Amino acid sequence: MGKSNSNSKKGFSRRKFLARTGTGLVGTLALLYFGRSLIRREISGFVAEMEFATDIDNFDTNMWFEVNADNTITLKSPKVEMGQGIFTGFAMLAAEELDITLENIKVVHASSLNGIISNTGVSNSTSSLYVIIREIAATLRETLKLAASKLWGVNITTIATKDGVITSGTKSITYAELAKQTTEWIAAELPTLRPASAFKYVGKEQKRFDLLDKVLAKPIYGIDVDLPEMVYGAVLYSPYFNGKIKSIDFSKAQKSAGVLSVVEEKEWVGIVANSRYAAETALSSVKVTWDYIPNYSTNDTEKAISVGNGTEVNIQKTGDIDKIIGEEIVAEFRTPIGFHAGMEPSIVVADYKKDKLTLYASVQNLTFMQSSVSEALGIDTDKIDIIPTYLGGGFGRRAFKHNAVEAAKLSKVVGKPVQLLYTRKQEFQNGYVRPNTQHILKGKLSKNGQILSMQHDLATGPMAFMAMPAAEPLLGADFIVAGHGSRITYDVPNINTTIWQNSLPFETSMWRGVGMFANTFAIETFMDILAHKANIDPLKFRLNHCGDTAQLKRREKLLELLAEKSGWFNPKPTDIGRGIAVCDDHKTISAAVVEVKIEEGYIKVKRVVQAIDPGKVINPEGIRQQVEGATMMAISASLYEKGTIEDSQFVETNFHSYKVAKLSDTPEIEVLIYEGTDKPYGVGESPISPIAPAIANAVFDLTDIRLLSLPLQQVFEKGNAENKIDA
Amino acid sequence: MKINLTINNQEKVVDIDPDMPLLWLIRDVVKLKGTKFGCGMALCGACSLYVDGELVRSCSYPAKMADGKRITTIEGLSENESHLHPVQQAWLDIQVPQCGYCQPGFIMAAAKLLEQNPNPSVEDIKNGITNICRCGTHPRIIKAIIHASKIK
């Protein structure tokens, strides 16, 4: 069970005491061969409603827990800690069943050869493991009790566990001592879990475990990994979309101070040197010309991503929108390309020794890294150990396009560990981005201000297909990830939602909140337009369209709470604009009231009250951190961030050209948590989505100017007042 | 070139390319990993440290300019782990970090701001620190600096 007793592993191995099969995408994809349009619509609804099951299928206790000699227990997390605080939440869950104090549970990353690896994303780390971690912890506790009953020859019913100690009558032994003495383990059956009413930790405020290390700046990130004899790699990638090397002269780089090796591959050239400075100096001396298709620009991208272009998939059809007569209100929205711009650029340290490769990495998707490296270098996955470090931000960027293959190849060539770090410019130009979108929304109202029909046409680049390229021809358009949040979820009798996906010459994929961010901006700004047209308060207008489903009842409750706590109906100064927006991110609901001022031509967000119903609350303080963080990232993305293209490359190369929110952009933020149901759902992404429309709606409230595209500050400056739409 | 430095009160002599940014000297030669790389152009502040008491973005500061000078990094800010600098204590109390990567730079900038302005207003803080955080810890950073100003 512990490292102290390797034989003990046999007791558990190959035991799958749980058969936990979520309805996987693979199964649903196969269905797509039949009755495409109908099935696509059904899948779209199913995915929008679904709770993301775990992708983990190994519930062997030993793969998750180790009992240490100092009577602490190590939990090897299959999910990575990128700031979202999951390690703390996982320990709280485990503590409920382990009968050991919270301080004595250490959470570390599982490595690929010493635990379960997974992908970390879609905000499901805690929700998908909420039951699993407790079940495995409970099984471990019962297994320890079985071992003690055998050791002492007593009936298991006489045995109790508390604070890491097992007792029966006058006998007592620590978990660690028992693990040391036990050579043969009998695996316990899965016991009944303790009910939520007995929880000691879950639901209570808990400071995150990593605070002190992070405040003291202990070395914990990918960039901090330092191995004996480690050298430094730098790789030349094309700044142009799909650029290929036409001519190259790296003779100067070969002679550059500190350079150990120059490695030429088909797609890239790598330099290894004895310092990061030497590697990057040599890299900048390489003379290269590129073969690429020139002159592609932002305009081309916006043309490509337009309703009517590309592959069309209808994903929602209720009633018949064509039968509704009356004035049609139409609005067109656009959102730009977005970068993740996490503070730690992509980083891998590769150590290739004989037949074993160790990769230390800031990575979200370990399984993808493992398979891509295995394929590229021809090494079996059981010879690759991926050791995740803490991540200097994730936001979806570390799912793909790691530089692990390059790092591994360079390490193999020089026979030493190689640190490979993207420059900030490469992080912008050689990663992937949130695709730009266009939304055309149409609606008709009844005389009493109820929505009779709503139509949403979304044009977007894909987000899902870096993860599952084979699915593209089957799905037709990425309605699962990029289309997430595009469905009309209000109680409206006639609805039609269609996605148009076009291909782009650059890679587009996950970004915090995925499609929700853009789709919520369009739909919730349009709701505001309709509310004003109907001459009904925007919050009341939304309440008027919350129907009878359990999910919509939760939304209604949350909106009512938000109205009360934010003082929505209270009078406000004339220089303040107030806006509201709400969204459902799978089963989590987020709603925000935003107050803005215009100061010297700048939109200034002054106050945000954000309410969230994430279902069961694990750690309220952890939720507050995530909601505040998502609010700030959303303010940044809504007001300022825009990726642009000139001559087939991204113009933005660093923070001088990609403006992000700073301390001066910080409003007062108040977070309201409402536990609307007893199952936990995701927290990290949902609250990013209501902010952009709430700001736009607040600006309209103050100025009568409708902002229909992001980034709002730039659109506001251009005076892009599309008042005609809201006539 | 041989460069003489006093880093966190310890004297060091390193033999490196004089144009190497001070950041890489600190991180990869002296092996103090708390100071982070973020942008390489002095735009984000992740690499903030002190040179002769001045706040410097070390990614864009050639090592030769630090010759003969006193450097303080995040590792040298507190006396020791049981006597934390008020800013670090405030960061703990307010639970500021998420991913934590930009926090050493923010902490160094905040400590310097408080040294120069012991009782800053929220506006002073918003205008005085231009570092970048992407997790969105901004509101807590501001709260923590106000809190730190009251700890002393």
Side-chain angles (χ1 to χ4, degrees), chain A residues 20 24-25 41 98 101 108 141 292 343 457 461-462 495 498 511 519 558 561 624 635 642 646 702:
Chain A
R20 199 171 276 283
L25 276 177
R41 270 205 292 280
L98 279 178
T101 54
V108 300
R141 181 197 71 224
Y292 68 101
M343 294 318 297
D457 280 88
I495 296 170
T498 303
W511 188 94
N519 288 313
L558 198 70
L561 174 79
R624 267 178 233 118
I635 286 173
K642 180 181 184 175
E646 274 173 31
L702 182 64

Side-chain angles (χ1 to χ4, degrees), chain A residues 232-237 248-263 269-288 423 426, chain B residues 17 19-21 24:
Chain A
Y232 299 83
V235 168
L236 179 73
Y237 299 102
I248 187 158
D249 174 7
F250 46 76
S251 54
K252 210 174 158 196
Q254 279 169 317
K255 286 178 228 140
S256 187
V259 169
L260 305 172
S261 185
V262 178
V263 179
V269 172
I271 289 165
V272 182
N274 60 15
S275 76
R276 172 125 313 277
Y277 179 67
E280 285 174 9
T281 304
L283 189 74
S284 63
S285 75
V286 175
K287 289 196 183 82
V288 61
T423 63
Q426 289 174 334
Chain B
D17 187 321
D19 291 323
M20 177 188 281
W24 300 126

Side-chain angles (χ1 to χ4, degrees), chain A residues 349-402:
Chain A
V349 175
D351 188 8
Y352 199 115
K353 284 220 170 69
K354 286 182 187 153
D355 287 328
K356 195 194 165 194
L357 173 63
T358 309
L359 297 165
Y360 303 83
S362 285
V363 53
Q364 283 179 254
N365 191 338
L366 275 79
T367 37
F368 183 81
M369 179 179 275
Q370 191 181 45
S371 61
S372 59
V373 172
S374 167
E375 199 177 311
L377 278 93
I379 320 169
D380 291 339
T381 50
D382 63 2
K383 296 278 195 298
I384 304 172
D385 198 12
I386 303 177
I387 302 175
T389 60
Y390 276 14
L391 278 58
F395 316 123
R397 169 64 187 92
R398 298 181 203 275
F400 314 103
K401 291 199 86 171
H402 317 106

